[in-house]
Amino acid sequence: QVQLVESGGGLVQAGGSLRLSCAASGRTFSSETMGWFRQAPGKEREFVAAISWSGAMTYYADSVKGRFTISRDNAKNTVSLQMNNLKSEDTAVYYCAERPNPQINARSRSYDYWGQGIQVTVSS
């Protein structure tokens, strides 16, 4: 059973930065795609970013493009999300997710494993 654990969330002022990390364990698949999603109060969960197994391919939501960077370290079984120039609208619970398929996909239903989520709050 794959387990995903997020860390690095917290409170930051608008314009600031945070780095989220996700540690994976129990994995048996070797070509999975990793993604980050977020859910703000009263809103549906939305796609943020995804990265292929090799890290060669990444994909971002338009709302975070140019501000967020997804990366992964397969030797350490971790995936990270560097968030810069944060805005109040980035406030949400952020989820790490794993898709046991090498093709990047932005649909949450295509991801089989999810972390418990971590709060990111941006004050204006």
Side-chain angles (χ1 to χ4, degrees):
Q1 182 71 16
V2 174
Q3 290 187 324
L4 304 174
V5 180
E6 302 97 338
S7 61
L11 174 65
V12 64
Q13 288 188 334
S17 298
L18 277 177
R19 185 177 181 87
L20 302 182
S21 293
C22 173
S25 61
R27 174 181 293 150
T28 58
F29 194 70
S30 61
S31 299
E32 67 285 340
T33 295
M34 299 299 295
W36 286 96
F37 292 77
R38 67 186 182 187
Q39 187 167 18
K43 295 187 177 181
E44 293 187 353
R45 189 172 297 186
E46 65 174 2
F47 171 78
V48 175
I51 187 167
S52 62
W53 163 255
S54 67
M57 293 182 62
T58 57
Y59 183 61
Y60 298 92
D62 288 343
S63 59
V64 306
K65 202 173 295 183
R67 299 189 297 122
F68 290 12
T69 302
I70 189 171
S71 61
R72 66 190 296 168
D73 184 337
N74 291 335
K76 297 181 179 179
N77 283 336
T78 59
V79 60
S80 298
L81 186 68
Q82 177 66 42
M83 305 184 294
N84 297 329
N85 190 22
L86 283 161
K87 305 175 181 180
S88 58
E89 52 263 43
D90 295 318
T91 295
V93 176
Y94 283 72
Y95 297 89
C96 173
E98 181 173 311
R99 164 178 159 82
N101 187 300
Q103 289 188 318
I104 285 182
N105 195 302
R107 294 179 301 176
S108 61
R109 61 184 180 183
S110 70
Y111 288 76
D112 289 355
Y113 304 103
W114 293 82
Q116 79 286 355
I118 193 163
Q119 180 69 47
V120 170
T121 302
V122 183
S123 63
S124 56

